[in-house]
Each structure stands twice: as structure tokens, then as C-alpha cells.
Amino acid sequence: MEIKLSSGIIITQQSNMIIEKLESQRTTELFTFIENRDDKGKIKEFLVEQAQEAIDKAYIASENLNYIILTAPRFSEIAQNRLLKLLEEPPRNKAFILITESKSALLNTILSRMPVTILHDSEEAKAFSLDLENLSLAKVYAFIQENNRISAVECKVLIEKISLGAMKSGKFRLDKTTLEMFSNAIKALEVGSPSSFILSGVLLKLLSVKKS
């Protein structure tokens, strides 16, 4: 999919490549990059400190259009709520591009306010290989082994796909407690619980409520 230099959200696993493509289209536009990096230079979660930096820089006057590019594997809920009004009503000659790994990294209130581009390399675009309708302990074990090194963001995407697939299949007894398990699993990932542990718990619980 072609990437155009315009305001919006880009879902990708290749943020550096996307930035290069955006740079290649720049003429008179300015770029301002805001990221949260650790001591080794790895991009971390976008926190309220970065949100405030984005707000401060957005209100610096500029004659040319300035794209403020926010890049992170995930964005904290507090940071997103802080950015909400700014994204909805950017100051003069300001536009925003958010680059992240998964739609699940962003609140629906953010997603609804900006056009979203999902690239083929993103987790949303990858095929879902788990056969939920014929779920078995062997298939659960194989799937967990296949995904034992995924990130929290990737695990959140999988859990969303598993929950939707389970509901669509009609093969499981999905009571209120089971449905709450999916949202609780995502919350646990957000506070740092191991992805493999959470994924195992979700799938084993789902297997236990499979209809005979």
C-alpha cells in the first residue's frame, strides 16, 4: 500500500521504513519527531511526558506545515486522553501522524478522529492460524509454542482475534465471566504480565468451555 504524506494513523511493524517514505515526499513541510527511548535507544511506550511535549511543540508558530510524528509500540491511556483535543483541532499549520504496531495500542476515541492505514506487515494484516472451531489441547500447545516470544502488543491483537473468533464460531459457552476474561487479559498485558502466560490462560480457559 502506498503511503502518502498526510495526517493520520499508520499501523506497521516497520516504523523506520515508513518514516523514510514520508521523508522522501517532503518538500516545504517540517517534521517534528516525538518518541520515548530507553538508554539503548529502543522506542518505548508513549507516556504523558511525550504527550505534553507534543502539545508544547504544536503551539510553536510556523509558516510552513509542520507534521508532528508520534512513534511508539503503544500509547498510554493517559497520554492519549491528553492528546485528544489537540488531534481533533490541531493549531494552524500543524498536522499529526501516529505510527504504532497495532490498532489495539490506541483508544477508539483516537482511532475515530483520524484516518487509519494498516500496512501488510502489521499484526492486523497477518493471517490467524488457530482453528478455534476444532480447538484441542494439542492445538493450544502448538499455538502457544508458535507465539511464545511475541510482544504485549502482538498478544493483545491475538487475544482480540481469539475473542471475536470464539463469539462468531458458536462453539463455546461464553458466559459473562468468560467474556470478562478477554478484557482482563488485555489489562494484565498492559501492566506487564508475560505474554505467553496470558495467552496460555486465555486458550486453556476457552478450551474448558468448548461445547461437546
Side-chain angles (χ1 to χ4, degrees), residues 45 74 151-153 155-156 159 180-202:
E45 182 177 17
R74 57 191 178 276
S151 68
V153 170
C155 192
K156 285 170 69 175
I159 289 173
E180 286 178 348
M181 171 194 67
F182 294 118
S183 59
N184 289 337
I186 289 176
K187 290 177 183 177
L189 288 166
E190 290 174 346
V191 296
S193 296
S195 297
S196 58
F197 175 77
I198 297 299
L199 187 60
S200 300
V202 167

Side-chain angles (χ1 to χ4, degrees), residues 145-199:
Q145 290 297 108
E146 180 185 340
N147 294 280
N148 66 345
R149 295 184 180 275
I150 59 175
S151 68
V153 170
E154 291 168 329
C155 192
K156 285 170 69 175
V157 172
L158 282 182
I159 289 173
E160 288 172 354
K161 289 181 177 181
I162 290 167
S163 64
L164 289 173
M167 287 185 279
K168 288 179 180 178
S169 72
K171 299 287 186 178
F172 302 91
R173 299 183 299 275
L174 299 177
D175 57 15
K176 182 180 178 182
T177 301
T178 307
L179 293 173
E180 286 178 348
M181 171 194 67
F182 294 118
S183 59
N184 289 337
I186 289 176
K187 290 177 183 177
L189 288 166
E190 290 174 346
V191 296
S193 296
S195 297
S196 58
F197 175 77
I198 297 299
L199 187 60

Side-chain angles (χ1 to χ4, degrees), residues 6-9 80-90 96-98 103 106-117:
S6 61
S7 176
I9 296 166
Q80 292 181 70
N81 285 326
R82 183 72 66 90
L83 290 170
L84 192 58
K85 183 174 176 58
L86 185 67
L87 296 176
E88 192 170 24
E89 300 177 5
F96 285 86
I97 298 174
L98 278 64
K103 282 177 67 177
L106 298 170
L107 299 172
N108 287 333
T109 48
I110 297 288
L111 293 168
S112 65
R113 282 164 171 76
M114 304 178 77
V116 179
T117 300

